[in-house]
Amino acid sequence: MEKRFISQPSLVRWLDKLNSEGKHIYAPVKKGGERVDFGRISSVDQVSFDHVQTTQSAKSVAFPRTEVLFSYQKEKGKVQLDNFDPEKMPSTVVFGLHPCDAAAFNPLTAIFSWNSRDELYDARLERTFIVTFSCTKADESCFCTSVNGGPGNTTGSDIQLTPVKEGFLVEILTEKGIALVKANEDCFEADRGEVKEDYLAKLPLKFDVKAVQERLNTAFDSPIWKKQSQRCLGCGACAFVCPTCACFDIQEDAHGAKGKRLRCWDSCGFALFTLHTSGHNPREVQAQRWRQRLLHKFSYMPERLSVRGCTGCGRCSRACPVDMNISEHLGSI
Amino acid sequence: MENTQLVETPHTHTHQDNIYLPYLMTIDKVTQEAPGVKTFRLKFQDEAEAERFDFKAGQFGEYSAFGEGESTFCIASSPTRKGYIECTFREAGKVTSSLAKLEEGDTMGFRGPYGNTFPLDQWKGKNLLFIAGGIALPPMRCVIWNALDTRENFKDVSILYGARSVNDLVYKHELEEWHDREDVNLVTTVDPGGETPDWKGEVGFVPSILEKMNPSSENTIAIVCGPPVMIKFTFPVLYKLGFTPDNIYTTLENRMKCGVGKCGHCYVGKVCICKDGPVFTGAELEKMPAEY
């Protein structure tokens, strides 16, 4: 792994160049009030550097909230299908996401690659460059260190920037990262020998994830699920802001003879998620849905895919309208 | 990353390896099986695909009504019958109601085959006992015809089929055919009150008729398919008759969307029905939480 330095003015030039190459650049931008979220930018001036966390995660760059799987046209009982072309998807740079979001592409990829490839997901991710910002601050919802992550974790990053004096420490981590730097060599200077850890947020452990996992393996019939989920509204906000939740629905958007088949985010917290057409619902009550959510992330995924479905970003706790806190709940199982 | 906007995937006419893209099928034949229940015989529009396509008994597919969406059904025809596939469905939701409006010659979509299979090779030399309830005969019909078309591989073949009423029995012509065959023992039953004056079959629920049939469990595989309540009451009868969980097979039909183990809908505990199933043994079922 190569280290370099980039000054603030050079960072502006670098992003301008990436932009002029035709890359789509997404970064955290202020959206009004305290809300910061990813948006397409044309200049570094638009980037928010002082927030703790964006409301939404960065997963939609590879797994959009609503995506066209294919479209079709009907004529006199016949159908013409229109497939996608990955070559026409834009080359994208996600800039300024935090390590918890970059790390989340591992579990997402594990889900979308299990048993068969998902070309749409793969095509989007292959064309995406991940430039993370390590975290210099955290809040009470953050718990990345409890799930083997950290404010300076580089998993999933092509390049990681750490704000240091007069600029940024640059860690070039993958072939994609090397390509992004090579094409713009004049923006980067030699490493100044800054120690990254001196600048990172300090985040104490909130629970022992191995112990939690072991307890979950035998907790299926525990009364704790009912107790914990009693105030859960089943609104799905936790899943929609989660960087690793990948459940989706397949829906139709049809107008007359023309239509599109769509893939849309879904949530195992929704009451209708498992409802059969017959009216039978295998998960009738919210306690069963809440249990599925936690067991899927912290027991089933580690066992079946060797990845955990959580990177400790804390968004589910921040977004929950009834203040359900996943790290507290995990700690109390 | 405009989260609130629909992301358009650029389209071309070049075919890519898109696992969500259905094959176009022509409806070759429509059969009205019972009130609200139809069977479609489907043929691939792409000749190369028709040539390449293969499946095994127990597998399912995602069937498209373009304009409404997809619905999940098993492949109801036997892999021994080449050149077409069949699906049988009841009009229950918006997709099945839309499919039901299609006519012979119309186009619909099909993705598959998906899921695991009934291990007919392992069952060679054994007796087969099929137990089905209502609209759950279609997944079993595939295995029944597969077994009957390779009849020399099996010993006694028995079929117990029950429906709410005489009118609700599906595949009525095939039931007559199985009834007339000397190498098949068919028992049909309808729920009390569902019989007609000229009904010659049994009257009663499947589990009690099974107990009355008293089939031998010796060297016998039981294949059970029906609504959850029928499964719940049939398994204890089979155990009483001496069947072991390893010798009982069933196929589960949880809500599915993608069919390829990604969308998350059909999980029962850590078991993904569309990829790990839909065919399970009684022993596998016992290890799963009862969330199906």
Side-chain angles (χ1 to χ4, degrees):
Chain A
M1 189 256 298
E2 195 188 352
K3 286 184 188 175
R4 304 285 281 270
F5 175 84
I6 190 165
S7 66
Q8 184 72 33
S10 294
L11 187 70
V12 175
R13 262 194 313 130
W14 183 41
L15 280 199
D16 283 346
K17 281 189 162 185
L18 292 175
N19 210 15
S20 64
E21 285 168 15
K23 288 191 164 52
H24 289 199
I25 303 175
Y26 290 92
V29 293
K30 291 204 161 73
K31 296 267 185 173
E34 288 185 3
R35 190 175 159 214
V36 177
D37 240 326
F38 290 96
R40 193 168 168 194
I41 59 158
S42 52
S43 141
V44 147
D45 305 343
Q46 297 164 272
V47 180
S48 163
F49 289 101
D50 59 354
H51 62 282
V52 171
Q53 191 61 280
T54 53
T55 304
Q56 289 281 346
S57 80
K59 77 175 167 192
S60 55
V61 72
F63 175 39
R65 179 185 286 190
T66 308
E67 176 175 32
V68 179
L69 298 173
F70 62 90
S71 57
Y72 55 84
Q73 192 158 353
K74 294 194 282 188
E75 198 181 344
K76 292 176 192 161
K78 300 291 166 208
V79 175
Q80 171 77 44
L81 296 176
D82 237 354
N83 200 1
F84 78 98
D85 180 0
E87 296 307 319
K88 288 190 175 175
M89 290 178 177
S91 176
T92 302
V93 178
V94 193
F95 178 84
L97 67 168
H98 286 321
C100 50
D101 270 6
F105 287 109
N106 265 355
L108 278 181
T109 301
I111 292 166
F112 283 110
S113 308
W114 183 55
N115 263 276
S116 58
R117 282 190 73 200
D118 188 306
E119 287 268 333
L120 276 158
Y121 173 85
D122 287 351
R124 290 195 190 282
L125 194 61
E126 276 162 18
R127 284 158 183 74
T128 301
F129 297 84
I130 306 286
V131 183
T132 49
F133 265 45
S134 58
C135 298
T136 53
K137 53 184 176 181
D139 68 12
E140 68 283 355
S141 295
C142 294
F143 63 100
C144 59
T145 49
S146 303
V147 286
N148 300 341
N153 185 288
T154 55
T155 308
S157 302
D158 295 311
I159 292 174
Q160 185 162 92
L161 304 181
T162 299
V164 296
K165 284 180 201 114
E166 297 165 0
F168 300 86
L169 165 67
V170 183
E171 294 172 89
I172 307 160
L173 299 151
T174 64
E175 291 296 320
K176 277 186 185 174
I178 292 168
L180 275 194
V181 171
K182 254 196 177 168
N184 301 282
E185 272 288 352
D186 59 323
C187 296
F188 297 88
E189 299 168 31
D191 178 29
R192 293 188 177 183
E194 295 269 15
V195 178
K196 176 182 171 184
E197 283 68 26
D198 292 347
Y199 294 88
L200 298 179
K202 304 284 180 281
L203 206 61
L205 287 177
K206 294 199 170 174
F207 54 84
D208 177 346
V209 76
K210 268 200 159 176
V212 164
Q213 210 163 304
E214 278 166 22
R215 286 201 295 275
L216 285 176
N217 289 341
T218 56
F220 193 86
D221 295 317
S222 168
I224 193 92
W225 306 117
K226 192 176 174 191
K227 199 177 160 199
Q228 290 190 351
S229 65
Q230 251 161 358
R231 65 183 191 272
C232 178
L233 304 174
C235 71
C238 49
F240 275 51
V241 296
C242 175
T244 67
C245 272
C247 286
F248 61 84
D249 195 8
I250 295 175
Q251 289 280 346
E252 204 92 339
D253 177 24
H255 303 278
K258 287 185 176 184
K260 294 167 184 166
R261 188 151 300 159
L262 309 174
R263 157 154 81 190
C264 318
W265 290 357
D266 205 343
S267 167
C268 62
F270 292 149
L272 305 184
F273 188 72
T274 52
L275 180 68
H276 295 196
T277 310
S278 67
H280 170 64
N281 194 344
R283 289 189 216 125
E284 286 179 297
V285 296
Q286 205 59 28
Q288 295 170 317
R289 297 170 204 133
W290 170 247
R291 172 176 64 194
Q292 175 66 17
R293 177 171 175 75
L294 288 200
L295 286 178
H296 195 188
K297 288 178 169 299
F298 291 91
S299 177
Y300 306 153
M301 281 179 69
E303 188 180 333
R304 300 210 58 168
L305 303 174
S306 302
V307 288
R308 197 174 293 113
C310 175
T311 60
C313 71
R315 284 190 180 87
C316 51
S317 304
R318 288 186 205 95
C320 182
V322 292
D323 199 26
M324 287 175 75
N325 186 308
I326 196 168
S327 60
E328 278 176 28
H329 281 333
L330 284 170
S332 69
I333 286 164
Chain B
M1 215 179 313
E2 285 102 3
N3 288 314
T4 51
Q5 290 175 15
L6 183 141
V7 176
E8 287 279 352
T9 305
H11 293 85
T12 69
H13 291 270
T14 322
H15 193 276
Q16 303 290 333
D17 190 19
N18 180 351
I19 54 176
Y20 305 103
L21 193 73
Y23 300 114
L24 294 178
M25 311 293 279
T26 300
I27 301 172
D28 195 43
K29 191 180 164 196
V30 179
T31 309
Q32 186 83 44
E33 303 285 0
V37 180
K38 280 183 176 175
T39 295
F40 283 176
R41 178 168 292 192
L42 305 170
K43 289 191 168 172
F44 285 91
Q45 290 182 358
D46 184 314
E47 281 179 22
E49 192 47 50
E51 195 65 35
R52 191 199 64 82
F53 184 80
D54 199 12
F55 73 101
K56 287 189 169 172
Q59 292 192 289
F60 68 94
E62 296 292 335
Y63 299 80
S64 292
F66 292 104
E68 288 298 348
E70 287 181 322
S71 207
T72 314
F73 327 121
C74 64
I75 300 173
S77 52
S78 167
T80 50
R81 316 277 170 106
K82 302 286 182 196
Y84 64 87
I85 57 168
E86 286 178 323
C87 65
T88 300
F89 60 93
R90 179 163 56 198
E91 289 177 55
K94 61 174 187 157
V95 177
T96 45
S97 300
S98 180
L99 282 176
K101 291 192 188 89
L102 297 176
E103 295 170 351
E104 286 173 9
D106 282 350
T107 295
M108 60 182 275
F110 167 79
R111 293 194 285 127
Y114 295 138
N116 69 352
T117 65
F118 286 103
L120 280 147
D121 288 341
Q122 287 175 30
W123 297 347
K124 280 182 183 170
K126 293 181 184 292
N127 306 311
L128 302 181
L129 169 64
F130 296 97
I131 306 163
I135 189 70
L137 185 59
M140 202 155 287
R141 177 199 187 224
C142 172
V143 204
I144 293 172
W145 276 121
N146 197 152
L148 295 180
D149 287 347
T150 53
R151 188 65 187 83
E152 65 283 4
N153 288 339
F154 308 99
K155 294 200 164 136
D156 295 346
V157 173
S158 303
I159 304 166
L160 167 58
Y161 175 47
R164 260 181 303 193
S165 73
V166 175
N167 210 10
D168 286 315
L169 293 164
V170 298
Y171 306 133
K172 291 184 181 72
H173 290 290
E174 290 175 27
L175 292 175
E176 276 177 32
E177 194 179 334
W178 295 339
H179 182 264
D180 293 342
R181 278 178 76 139
E182 286 187 358
D183 59 353
V184 177
N185 169 33
L186 174 74
V187 176
T188 47
T189 184
V190 293
D191 292 354
E195 68 270 33
T196 50
D198 57 349
W199 172 243
K200 292 188 180 66
E202 300 280 345
V203 176
F205 297 107
V206 166
S208 48
I209 301 298
L210 172 66
E211 205 162 357
K212 196 170 131 189
M213 265 175 84
N214 193 27
S216 166
S217 58
E218 183 66 33
N219 194 34
T220 306
I221 297 291
I223 306 105
V224 189
C225 194
V229 66
M230 192 202 94
I231 301 234
K232 189 182 163 191
F233 288 105
T234 301
F235 272 55
V237 176
L238 286 171
Y239 293 149
K240 206 167 143 186
L241 292 167
F243 284 85
T244 59
D246 283 332
N247 289 330
I248 305 173
Y249 287 80
T250 189
T251 171
L252 295 183
E253 291 207 336
N254 247 22
R255 180 171 176 155
M256 299 182 197
K257 277 290 176 178
C258 72
V260 290
K262 306 198 190 299
C263 78
H265 278 84
C266 67
Y267 274 87
V268 176
K270 67 180 173 193
V271 178
C272 181
I273 301 297
C274 73
K275 288 304 297 186
D276 301 327
V279 175
F280 295 95
T281 64
E284 288 166 331
L285 229 54
E286 280 181 0
K287 286 184 202 149
M288 285 158 59
E291 285 194 337
Y292 53 85

